[in-house]
Amino acid sequence: MILINSKNSELKNIVILATGGTIAGTGIAGKTTNYKAGNLDIKSLVDSVPSLDEIANISYQQIANVDSNDITIDHWLTLANRINEISKQSDVDGFVITHGTDTLEETAYFLDLTVKTNKPVIVTGAMRPSTATSADGPLNLYQSVALAANDLSKGQGCMVVFADGIYSGRNVQKVNTFKTNAFNSIDLGCLGYMRDNIPYFLNKSIKPHTVDTEFDIFGLKELPQVSIAYFNIDADPLIIDYLAQKSEGLVIAGAGCGTFSSAWIKKVKELETKGIPVVRSSRTGSGIILKDYAIDKSTNCIPGNTLAPSKARILLSLALTKTRDYSEIKRIFEEY
Ligand code: ASP
């Protein structure tokens, strides 16, 4: 239960759940580098955005205040459970999550698969700290609140708003290390644009999300451990043994179409009888991976479809909360 500010009865009630990141970062006045992420609290952040109270009634809660490299599965479970719980309140219309950009795409996909509401859930952040000249956080936050408060956003899954673009939590990727236009979905395109507080939707993801997924995190204290192995020329196959000791599933960030050496293929085969599924994704950043008769000889080898390695890891981990059956996991990777 959260106490909702419903000051203006004509406006929607939006809840901001803050986790930190550069959007809440502070540093040397004017500079964009060498700052501390996760330093401002959500109240100061909200107060820094002009006319936010003209587009929605804002309530907020600080879930964490960390650099997003320090986000953990505990934070994910807390966030998803908070959204699932608060969304049952009839006086809540939508959510905005403020987050560091480095791992924002992972949290957005996790929420896309695990929140159980049709109410809008928007994730945003900033590339420049709040103290920089032309900080991008205030506009990203303003547009995220506007999107969360718009009826067109209902039932669209978890979305990301960044630099005037709207992206699906499934397809969004960080594509630049420092520019403010740091997110897009490469070949898969954006869902639409934001101009000031108005969304212009153009596309829709057909992949199941939120209320239509089979994943339920209620009551879970942790998620099955899934690790990622990055393949490169002459990569040591022993890394697979090392990761397999600690993991219930593996993702390989393969070359090209999710490929790797014959030494790695042999290692993956060895994991078949140990019950460890291995998802093949690609380090290229775009494209689709389908069954490859030369590589997917062992039943535990699963094509990762269009998911980037960090997102394939999330889906595999959630799949493992439901099943250990390789063909079921393959079905999940084709469907989501
Ligand atoms: N390191 C920061 C973070 O992910 C970067 C950012 O937010 O832009 O928290």
Side-chain angles (χ1 to χ4, degrees):
M1 174 87 182
I2 180 173
L3 202 61
I4 293 298
N5 156 26
S6 51
K7 212 161 47 184
N8 183 339
S9 61
E10 314 244 293
L11 296 178
K12 295 277 178 61
N13 300 331
I14 302 303
V15 175
I16 303 180
L17 301 175
T19 70
T22 295
I23 192 165
T26 56
I28 300 165
K31 301 280 189 214
T32 58
T33 56
N34 294 312
Y35 58 88
K36 182 171 177 348
N39 218 22
L40 275 189
D41 62 16
I42 184 60
K43 180 179 182 330
S44 321
L45 212 60
V46 165
D47 290 346
S48 73
V49 183
S51 49
L52 200 59
D53 58 356
E54 288 170 19
I55 54 168
N57 296 315
I58 305 293
S59 310
Y60 43 76
Q61 226 172 55
Q62 191 85 47
I63 299 290
N65 210 357
V66 295
D67 186 296
S68 74
N69 292 287
D70 291 323
I71 290 283
T72 61
I73 283 166
D74 276 353
H75 291 119
W76 281 357
L77 294 174
T78 303
L79 264 180
N81 281 316
R82 286 304 281 142
I83 295 170
N84 288 341
E85 179 193 319
I86 299 173
S87 62
K88 291 186 189 131
Q89 286 182 225
S90 57
D91 56 355
V92 171
D93 296 303
F95 296 87
V96 171
I97 319 301
T98 56
H99 199 285
T101 63
D102 288 343
T103 63
L104 185 149
E105 66 212 50
E106 296 178 50
T107 299
Y109 188 45
F110 179 75
L111 296 179
D112 195 53
L113 292 171
T114 57
V115 299
K116 296 293 165 203
T117 178
N118 277 323
K119 296 181 182 178
V121 178
I122 316 297
V123 187
T124 197
M127 292 300 286
R128 294 179 179 158
S130 63
T131 42
T133 303
S134 300
D136 53 332
L139 183 62
N140 287 342
L141 184 55
Y142 178 83
Q143 293 188 329
S144 298
V145 168
L147 188 64
N150 195 294
D151 282 337
L152 294 174
S153 305
K154 283 184 196 158
Q156 301 247 37
C158 175
M159 295 183 278
V160 169
V161 164
F162 219 92
D164 301 314
I166 309 170
Y167 305 96
S168 75
R170 181 189 186 277
N171 297 334
V172 70
Q173 288 185 43
K174 189 169 188 183
V175 293
N176 197 281
T177 59
F178 76 100
K179 290 185 177 177
T180 50
N181 192 9
F183 287 84
N184 65 41
S185 299
I186 314 188
D187 286 355
L188 306 178
C190 66
L191 297 180
Y193 297 125
M194 291 299 298
R195 298 295 297 170
D196 292 329
N197 56 327
I198 313 287
Y200 296 88
F201 279 105
L202 302 161
N203 299 307
K204 204 173 185 130
S205 170
I206 58 158
K207 293 290 187 178
H209 55 68
T210 56
V211 293
D212 292 327
T213 76
E214 61 206 271
F215 308 117
D216 180 7
I217 49 93
F218 184 75
L220 293 182
K221 296 271 168 282
E222 53 192 20
L223 291 177
Q225 173 68 35
V226 174
S227 303
I228 302 176
Y230 190 99
F231 177 74
N232 52 272
I233 285 179
D234 214 21
D236 187 346
L238 290 179
I239 190 77
I240 292 185
D241 289 336
Y242 174 76
L243 293 175
Q245 278 167 25
K246 304 163 166 278
S247 313
E248 295 174 56
L250 282 186
V251 171
I252 295 181
C257 203
T259 57
F260 33 85
S261 63
S262 38
W264 276 43
I265 293 175
K266 197 161 153 252
K267 280 286 174 204
V268 169
K269 174 102 188 124
E270 283 168 24
L271 299 182
E272 190 177 16
T273 49
K274 295 188 179 151
I276 299 183
V278 180
V279 172
R280 298 189 299 111
S281 64
S282 174
R283 60 184 204 186
T284 61
S286 61
I288 189 163
I289 296 171
L290 303 168
K291 187 170 169 63
D292 180 305
Y293 291 91
I295 300 183
D296 299 322
K297 274 187 210 135
S298 38
T299 55
N300 64 329
C301 206
I302 296 159
N305 205 270
T306 63
L307 292 176
S310 63
K311 294 199 181 187
R313 171 184 174 264
I314 294 167
L315 186 58
L316 180 55
S317 182
L318 288 171
L320 288 168
T321 63
K322 304 226 29 143
T323 182
R324 303 276 147 168
D325 183 276
Y326 296 141
S327 53
E328 258 299 279
I329 299 174
K330 275 181 194 146
R331 194 262 311 153
I332 287 173
F333 269 82
E334 279 162 17
E335 197 169 323
Y336 292 88

